[in-house]
Amino acid sequence: MEEQTLYLGCHLSNAKGYLAAGRVALSIGANTFQFFTRNPRGGSMKAIDPADAQALNALCRENGFGTLVAHAPYTLNPCSADPKVRDFAYRCLSEDIERMEYFPNQVYNLHPGSHVGQGIAAGIRLTTELLNDILTKEQSTTVLIETMSGGGSEIGGRFEQIAELIAGVKLQEKIGVCLDTCHVFAAGYDVRNDLDGVLEQFDRIVGLRRLRALHLNDSLFDIGGGKDRHARIGEGFIGLSAMRAAAHHEAFRGLPMILETPNEPPEHGDEIRLLRER
Ligand code: FE
Ligand code: FE
Ligand code: ZN
């Protein structure tokens, strides 16, 4: 059987520019990567250098990179009860989606937010409304909702919640899902012993065709703890063989797979090599 290309990479800083990040990716054997569009904690955004963005796009083309994954700041809360907080999320997200056109046809990943006491249903409604406000027919970017661990008042810890969020979105062709192995494991889905069963549930509830990216993280805590704490590949409760099986699973063929493990780029390269082996 023909060997399939695995698109593996890790989260990388773009503090020294996009081309620099792409070169780091190449140097560690990655053929995709994830970056923050802006300061992940605040909201401030550096002016973009179009030549730098184009240079990264060229590097990706020349080296057969898969889809790149941009990540929204994780501090913004699209379903806050406070209209000012939601407005901030609206401004960040619409600016980011505009900026993503420097990297056409890639994906932009977003945490669905925390309802902080309003209840899951209200949270889902507010996040869906915000998505309907920011998505445009013209954008080439697909916005992805990340599966969450469901700790605290986070929404997106159950596949049913992801499905409901997506069902409310008007521009269906602009929305997808990023599955985080650590998060779903923390939420109680057994990707260690029954990945096929988890994917069967995902397919039935959300639809596998919605899946556009993967976060490959091992988990510092055992299944169902609701704790979002990533471990290095093979050093957590999911373990190397299950992580490797995930990387090679046919349901994920062609998708960008991003490590968000507590490591630095050279060692991320070692993790990528571990996952590429069969
Ligand atoms: Fe995330
Ligand atoms: Fe993640
Ligand atoms: Zn996480």
Side-chain angles (χ1 to χ4, degrees):
M1 217 178 85
E2 190 191 331
E3 223 5 75
Q4 294 289 327
T5 306
L6 297 188
Y7 297 104
L8 275 162
C10 61
H11 186 92
L12 289 173
S13 163
N14 56 3
K16 291 183 178 143
Y18 288 100
L19 177 61
R23 285 183 172 145
V24 172
L26 265 184
S27 77
I28 61 169
N31 51 357
T32 177
F33 67 98
Q34 174 174 275
F35 57 89
F36 283 126
T37 44
R38 59 175 76 221
N39 181 333
R41 302 188 154 277
S44 63
M45 193 182 216
K46 271 202 318 204
I48 197 162
D49 171 3
D52 182 38
Q54 277 166 23
L56 172 64
N57 293 337
L59 176 143
C60 292
R61 256 193 327 272
E62 286 155 15
N63 293 280
F65 273 38
T67 305
L68 298 181
V69 182
H71 198 305
Y74 46 79
T75 46
L76 58 78
N77 186 5
C79 62
S80 167
D82 182 346
K84 284 208 274 310
V85 174
R86 291 203 305 276
D87 187 55
F88 174 74
Y90 169 80
R91 280 183 288 121
C92 282
L93 295 174
S94 22
E95 264 176 43
D96 279 4
I97 286 172
E98 216 182 298
R99 171 165 293 197
M100 282 301 290
E101 292 307 316
Y102 285 103
F103 311 100
N105 305 306
Q106 309 302 314
V107 297
Y108 177 77
N109 176 58
L110 168 72
H111 294 183
S114 294
H115 65 74
V116 261
Q118 304 171 91
I120 296 273
I124 290 174
R125 182 178 51 77
L126 288 170
T127 296
T128 304
E129 276 173 17
L130 195 86
L131 285 167
N132 282 329
D133 288 342
I134 58 162
L135 297 177
T136 69
K137 273 202 207 67
E138 292 71 32
Q139 71 186 59
S140 67
T141 305
T142 306
V143 172
L144 309 185
I145 303 294
E146 183 167 353
T147 60
M148 301 308 290
S149 59
S153 68
E154 236 169 35
I155 63 172
R158 305 293 314 164
F159 294 161
E160 286 81 0
Q161 296 168 13
I162 303 273
E164 200 181 326
L165 260 167
I166 287 179
V169 172
K170 291 192 187 109
L171 293 171
Q172 285 285 303
E173 68 280 16
K174 304 296 181 191
I175 194 88
V177 177
C178 171
L179 187 141
D180 187 311
T181 53
C182 169
H183 296 177
V184 296
F185 187 68
Y189 295 100
D190 194 358
V191 295
R192 175 178 52 201
N193 297 310
D194 188 21
L195 179 60
D196 285 333
V198 172
L199 290 176
E200 190 275 319
Q201 277 188 75
F202 185 91
D203 192 34
R204 183 163 33 82
I205 298 165
V206 181
L208 273 173
R209 67 194 174 90
R210 291 287 180 193
L211 202 54
R212 300 294 300 277
L214 222 62
H215 284 166
L216 284 185
N217 302 307
D218 210 329
S219 173
L220 260 192
F221 289 91
D222 208 348
I223 186 166
K227 286 208 181 66
D228 177 3
R229 295 287 304 282
H230 305 180
R232 293 177 188 148
I233 304 301
E235 294 183 12
F237 278 88
I238 302 177
L240 177 59
S241 69
M243 293 304 303
R244 196 180 264 155
H248 292 267
H249 199 287
E250 61 173 12
F252 303 143
R253 201 161 277 177
L255 299 184
M257 306 187 201
I258 306 294
L259 307 181
E260 300 173 305
T261 50
N263 238 341
E264 293 304 317
E267 289 76 30
H268 275 133
D270 299 336
E271 291 182 277
I272 289 169
R273 271 184 292 282
L274 269 180
L275 287 171
R276 284 198 196 280
E277 286 167 19
R278 286 218 85 158

